[in-house]
Amino acid sequence: MTSGPAISPAETGIHRTTVTRWVREVVGLLAARAPRLDRALKKIARKGGGVVLLDGSLIRTRRRTGAENRKNYSGKHKCHGLLVIALTDDRGRLLWVSAARPGRSSEITACRHDKLTAHLRAAGLGAIADLGFVGLDDSGPDADPAVITGYKAARNRPLTRGQKLSNKALAAVRAPVEHGFAHLKNWRVLGKVRTDPRWATALVRALLVLTNREVAR
């Protein structure tokens, strides 16, 4: 799925639709091996881990016209795409990826759809995330936070020196999650994704399995 010379169906004597069916079957089999959210978190907890790293990323898709495609336009990124949420361990190794959702979806909405905070609490873990996830954690003042984020400055309330230092420290801790996404996006096939969330979900989860095999070598 990475690179190599293209071979046309005419050279192999196999019809294009047959090749497409085979590819989709292989992708489906690989995607089925991707870890579920609850199992991925419990595995980290069993190993003695305390936190995971949380982030979202937009997979750019080919732009299509029409009202039906407007939901795939991300105002944040100024392009069409599909949103994917991912969790990594503290070394940036991918643990889980969400279903692909329309680009206009917010990261917080996607996490709430997957009941991420409930799964984190059930596993006894916390997640470190960037400022885009501020407001995701709905825990009470006396409960341990399930999602740890930095501080946002307000128009009439600038950050204190301590808050700035805290944001800097959190940014350093969560840096490995960017490497996890980078490994995933190294697969050039992601640059050819169309606006079909079901196919994109299967493809991303299949690539998660392959990425972890490559990293583990």
Side-chain angles (χ1 to χ4, degrees):
M1 291 186 184
T2 50
S3 60
I7 301 175
S8 67
E11 293 178 284
T12 62
I14 303 173
H15 197 274
R16 182 181 298 273
T17 57
T18 302
V19 175
T20 300
R21 188 180 73 252
W22 289 347
V23 169
R24 288 185 174 268
E25 288 177 355
V26 171
V27 168
L29 290 172
L30 286 170
R33 299 184 63 183
R36 286 172 28 184
L37 176 57
D38 55 345
R39 293 178 181 176
L41 294 176
K42 288 177 181 177
K43 184 176 181 180
I44 291 295
R46 284 197 302 268
K47 292 182 177 180
V51 297
V52 292
L53 306 180
L54 168 65
D55 202 2
S57 184
L58 189 80
I59 299 173
R60 296 196 176 197
T61 59
R62 298 180 183 182
R63 179 178 178 180
R64 289 187 175 182
T65 58
E68 189 63 26
N69 194 43
R70 291 175 186 170
K71 62 185 178 182
N72 296 313
Y73 182 77
S74 169
K76 176 181 177 181
H77 297 89
K78 308 299 182 186
C79 65
H80 288 73
L82 297 170
L83 176 67
V84 173
I85 303 296
L87 292 175
T88 74
D89 62 13
D90 56 1
R91 297 174 60 184
R93 291 176 295 195
L94 286 163
L95 304 173
W96 168 82
V97 291
S98 71
R101 295 186 172 89
R104 73 179 181 187
S105 305
S106 74
E107 294 169 331
I108 291 179
T109 300
C111 289
R112 286 176 175 164
H113 187 276
D114 290 318
K115 300 179 180 178
L116 180 60
T117 55
H119 283 289
L120 286 168
R121 289 196 179 92
L125 298 175
I128 298 176
D130 63 19
L131 296 180
F133 293 87
V134 171
L136 170 60
D137 194 354
D138 55 359
S139 61
D142 299 326
D144 291 332
V147 180
I148 304 166
T149 60
Y151 297 93
K152 270 187 176 181
R155 181 176 298 179
N156 58 349
R157 190 183 61 199
L159 297 180
T160 65
R161 182 174 181 274
Q163 289 172 333
K164 290 179 180 179
L165 290 174
S166 178
N167 283 356
K168 187 175 181 179
L170 282 175
V173 171
R174 60 174 302 278
V177 73
E178 303 290 346
H179 300 307
F181 264 123
H183 285 305
L184 187 65
K185 289 187 173 182
N186 277 340
W187 298 92
R188 292 196 295 174
V189 69
L190 282 181
K192 301 178 181 179
V193 172
R194 297 182 182 272
T195 54
D196 180 356
R198 291 184 62 184
W199 167 244
T201 297
L203 180 60
V204 170
R205 287 176 173 168
L207 294 178
L208 165 65
V209 175
L210 294 178
T211 298
N212 286 341
R213 289 182 63 88
E214 288 290 326
V215 173
R217 284 184 177 181

